[in-house]
Amino acid sequence: MTTDAGRPASPHPDSPLAVDLETMRQMGYRTVDLLVERAARDRDDPALRTASRDELAARLAGPPPADGVPFERILDQLSGDVLPFVARWDHPRFFGFIPGSGTWPGALADFIVSAINLDASSWREAAGPTQVELTVLDWFREWIGYPQEASGVLVSGGSAANMTAVACAREARLGPMSDTVVVYLCDQAHSSMARAARILGFRPEQVRILPSDGRHRLSPEILERAMDADIEAGLTPLVVGAAAGATGTGAVDPFEELAALCHDRGVWLHVDAAYGGFAVLTERGRAWLRGMELADSITLDPHKWLYQPFEVGCLMVRDGSQLRRAFEITPDYLKDSQAASREVNLANYGLQLTRMARAVKVWMSVQYFGVDAFRRAVDTAIDLAAHAGERITASPALELLSPASLGIVCFRRTFDGVTDDGLAERMNGEVIRRLVESGRGLISSTRVRGRFALRMCVMNHTTTAADVDEVLDWVERVEIEPPDAAAAEPAHEREPGVRLGWLAPDAIGSIGLFNQLDDAQRDRVRASTWEIEVPAGTDVVHAWEFGREFYVVLDGSVSVEHDGEPVNTLGPGEFFGEVAALDWGAGFGYPRTASVTASTNLRLLVVPAPLLNELVRDAPAFGAMVKRTMSERLSRA
């Protein structure tokens, strides 16, 4: 079919949305040129550029055009008003968060899949793309060491995979939701695990956030104690979430011990390996992740350490039949699409019915480069993170807070004469802000044993040792002035003479803890708290039980114990219970991490957890004081 001018015409001349074939070709050329020009940008271009909402609204807001705009003008506006204001996730000095560094064959695969509009939901409508996904899943199965009967599904990313895993576990082990089941997560777990639990109907008292050990891992001993406490309370452990590369520190949990404990008790073990899972391609990674294959399910993220364009995640389930049983629903209007014999409808393995053919980009990338190229890329990232750790250790201006694990290293800048941790935190936060402003690179922050940390994650396949050194050199040299002393946090002083009745107008002023609150906040405390009296020798809280109340000692004293050993005595004006009362995320928190017993007759102020969390949020100095105490106590625990 041609036009009068001899050029290919549109195959759909009556469609208002069709484009003629030659115009399609030219639009494609121009788009590829734009992308190649962006790929050729100088390494010294900023790793992150952003703008205010007002500026971008001025550039982009407004009604849609009634008539079409020439494609060149659209590309010009995209290039000038949209694409400059993004993070360059593929920048060689983008070390923040979990960087994503895609490959060109993967990007072209997404272009193909989108242009053809592939829907990889059923075999009948997408036999070829479905088989590609089954092939890719089989690669993953072999790499992680799962048995032949394992199965999986590609999803949008690690968050979707984690939610799919928790849903599968609930269906496989429980069926309909129950108020008596419990999920266990380490405090290093990704927030998507808590989000998954909340979305799936687990209430705050059904999720335990357990303190990590000295290596930032989920401790089998602590997990066992928490399970025992819940079983004694008539509850049923259901799911344990472990990590193969915790987002904060890169820590890898002890899978063999965790798997033995979970399997003995019939508890589903899920490993979130979204970040670190593809390290199994390397010899070191396989050694570090040994035992991961014993888990009931594993999350993987090809758009992280398999270098695929956003977005593609994966859930693998050791017993693949459990994944299908959890999600397969076949209404009458889908009967025609049901697979026969060994054919597979991937929509029966997850949340989505219509689903993009995400496997094509993985398949094309691995076919083009070969597996060994990905192995070398992962190995190089591990080497560069180790190099960063050595460089930090050797520097008099930097302090290593967590050694390199997989591709992550945590550290902070030290400043002469600065010993206050709150001041050091604010100055290190300024280091991050100034680095972004400089355009030289990007790092992010986390907390390591409660201390603010600069966090460097090395994953980009174009990063070199010179890029790592350039960012660390900059962090060492940048001059940061201490903030005004007036902004420093006031210290919390213990006030032993708390004798006034709680409702007395000046009573709050007698407790140093509340000195950082304004009048309105003190009124909220008066209105929402209550006193209790506890006889000497009575247990106030037990370790590993659920409870969210926060306590302030008004009169008397308490003894604090870990594993039966006294570790502290608290008196008037001091507090306890903040570890369990403060939200970890999504409304979930720690169980009690210590037992507290009244040493004398005792009078306590009880502060409900919602009020405490509001005060921590609304009164920064108060919040910093409570959080600092929490971090210190978790470290001792």
Side-chain angles (χ1 to χ4, degrees):
M1 181 191 311
T2 61
T3 64
D4 292 341
R7 299 191 320 177
S10 169
H12 309 288
D14 295 328
S15 170
L17 300 178
V19 179
D20 72 77
L21 301 182
E22 181 59 27
T23 302
M24 290 172 64
R25 184 174 289 109
Q26 293 302 321
M27 291 168 71
Y29 290 158
R30 291 166 187 162
T31 301
V32 169
D33 285 345
L34 180 153
L35 295 173
V36 172
E37 288 168 9
R38 282 181 61 83
R41 286 175 301 177
D42 191 274
R43 296 170 75 88
D44 288 332
D45 278 2
L48 172 66
R49 182 183 173 195
T50 189
S52 70
R53 175 74 179 272
D54 288 342
E55 178 183 348
L56 289 179
R59 291 171 178 259
L60 295 165
D67 296 317
V69 175
F71 190 66
E72 284 289 353
R73 282 177 52 193
I74 297 170
L75 283 185
D76 287 345
Q77 186 171 27
L78 189 70
S79 298
D81 295 334
V82 179
L83 297 181
F85 305 105
V86 298
R88 281 186 60 190
W89 291 90
D90 59 345
H91 193 288
R93 293 187 296 279
F94 190 108
F95 298 128
F97 314 110
I98 304 289
S101 177
T103 60
W104 183 242
L108 293 177
D110 272 348
F111 183 20
I112 293 168
V113 167
S114 294
I116 298 176
N117 208 23
L118 291 179
D119 172 10
S121 58
S122 68
W123 183 274
R124 193 183 75 160
E125 284 75 33
T130 298
Q131 183 55 56
V132 168
E133 185 160 341
L134 294 175
T135 298
V136 167
L137 291 169
D138 209 41
W139 293 346
F140 295 173
R141 179 189 63 77
E142 291 181 359
W143 294 347
I144 64 176
Y146 258 9
Q148 190 70 38
E149 62 270 18
S151 188
V153 64
L154 296 186
V155 295
S156 60
S159 295
N162 284 336
M163 186 167 71
T164 305
V166 176
C168 181
R170 189 182 68 183
E171 291 300 308
R173 292 286 195 267
L174 179 66
M177 189 61 182
S178 168
D179 294 341
T180 65
V181 294
V182 183
V183 174
Y184 302 86
L185 304 174
C186 178
D187 58 14
Q188 298 298 304
H190 193 270
S191 59
S192 63
M193 290 295 296
R195 182 182 294 115
R198 182 169 68 180
I199 290 171
L200 292 168
F202 292 87
R203 298 197 306 270
E205 64 269 23
Q206 292 180 268
V207 176
R208 304 282 180 270
I209 307 300
L210 302 180
S212 53
D213 67 13
R215 295 167 62 184
H216 317 295
R217 307 178 309 165
L218 175 58
S219 161
E221 292 79 11
I222 287 178
L223 175 62
E224 185 172 18
R225 291 172 193 161
M227 285 185 178
D228 287 344
D230 284 331
I231 291 170
E232 186 175 347
L235 303 174
T236 302
L238 179 67
V239 180
V240 170
T247 303
T249 62
V252 176
D253 287 334
F255 301 126
E256 292 176 330
E257 297 94 326
L258 293 172
L261 175 62
C262 289
H263 294 169
D264 284 349
R265 297 180 178 222
V267 177
W268 185 283
L269 176 61
H270 173 66
V271 171
D272 179 0
Y275 158 51
F278 286 109
V280 296
L281 289 172
T282 71
E283 184 175 346
R284 285 176 292 181
R286 281 194 301 276
W288 292 335
L289 302 180
R290 184 178 295 114
M292 183 175 72
E293 72 280 0
L294 302 174
D296 296 286
S297 57
I298 299 174
T299 284
L300 300 167
D301 238 357
H303 66 214
K304 292 189 172 71
W305 231 346
L306 200 61
Y307 300 109
Q308 298 306 303
F310 299 139
E311 54 188 33
V312 55
C314 177
L315 175 68
M316 299 296 299
V317 178
R318 187 178 178 83
D319 179 353
S321 65
Q322 294 176 321
L323 182 59
R324 177 169 178 167
R325 286 198 300 268
F327 290 98
E328 184 175 28
I329 298 175
T330 309
D332 290 341
Y333 52 81
L334 293 179
K335 295 290 186 185
D336 293 341
S337 294
Q338 286 312 289
S341 182
R342 295 178 60 248
E343 298 168 356
V344 174
N345 286 347
L346 288 165
N348 291 331
Y349 290 76
L351 301 174
Q352 289 181 269
L353 181 54
T354 302
R355 51 192 307 278
M356 184 179 183
R358 298 183 177 94
V360 176
K361 59 185 165 191
V362 181
W363 182 80
M364 282 184 62
S365 296
V366 175
Q367 292 282 355
Y368 182 81
F369 292 108
V371 177
D372 285 349
F374 290 93
R375 287 195 177 99
R376 291 195 299 272
V378 174
D379 251 334
T380 298
I382 293 172
D383 288 340
L384 290 175
H387 168 73
E390 294 166 1
R391 172 80 172 69
I392 291 163
T393 300
S395 170
L398 302 176
E399 177 186 2
L400 187 69
L401 296 183
S402 178
S405 181
L406 297 174
I408 294 176
V409 59
C410 296
F411 65 105
R412 69 176 181 173
R413 169 78 182 274
T414 58
F415 301 94
D416 291 341
V418 176
T419 58
D420 178 76
D421 215 48
L423 179 58
E425 174 175 333
R426 293 193 292 279
M427 294 176 74
N428 273 275
E430 182 67 8
V431 169
I432 294 175
R433 190 187 68 81
R434 295 270 295 278
L435 177 60
V436 172
E437 279 186 352
S438 76
R440 305 299 290 273
L442 187 143
I443 55 179
S444 54
S445 67
T446 188
R447 289 190 179 274
V448 176
R449 311 309 299 174
R451 301 175 73 192
F452 185 88
L454 307 178
R455 176 184 166 281
M456 173 179 275
C457 182
V458 186
M459 291 186 68
N460 192 311
H461 54 78
T462 67
T463 297
T464 66
D467 292 311
V468 171
D469 289 338
E470 181 172 341
V471 168
L472 292 178
D473 287 346
W474 188 96
V475 171
E476 280 182 314
R477 294 194 307 265
V478 64
E479 295 185 5
I480 305 293
E481 292 296 324
D484 191 346
E489 297 161 9
H492 165 45
E493 297 180 2
R494 177 176 169 177
E495 299 284 350
V498 183
R499 299 293 178 189
L500 297 173
W502 181 245
L503 296 179
D506 59 346
I508 291 180
S510 302
I511 301 178
L513 172 66
F514 297 116
N515 285 345
Q516 319 309 327
L517 304 181
D518 61 28
D519 290 343
Q521 290 161 347
R522 293 180 186 182
D523 286 342
R524 283 156 62 189
V525 173
R526 289 190 185 92
S528 303
T529 60
W530 61 94
E531 289 185 38
I532 60 172
E533 295 183 355
V534 181
T538 302
D539 291 337
V540 183
V541 299
H542 293 280
W544 310 118
E545 71 179 2
F546 178 82
R548 302 297 301 276
E549 294 81 12
F550 173 73
Y551 299 95
V552 181
V553 179
L554 299 178
D555 277 316
S557 65
V558 298
S559 172
V560 183
E561 296 183 349
H562 286 299
D563 299 330
E565 296 294 327
V567 295
N568 204 359
T569 298
L570 304 176
E574 296 186 298
F575 58 84
F576 60 93
E578 77 291 339
V579 171
L582 289 177
D583 282 343
W584 176 83
F588 303 124
Y590 292 90
R592 302 296 188 187
T593 56
S595 296
V596 180
T597 303
S599 303
T600 66
N601 289 335
L602 193 62
R603 194 162 60 93
L604 296 173
L605 178 75
V606 183
V607 181
L611 174 60
L612 179 68
N613 282 280
E614 289 174 12
L615 295 174
V616 166
R617 182 193 66 221
D618 297 342
F622 174 87
M625 183 190 310
V626 173
K627 288 181 177 179
R628 188 161 50 246
T629 301
M630 172 185 173
S631 297
E632 292 168 355
R633 290 173 177 174
L634 277 174
S635 296
R636 290 198 297 269

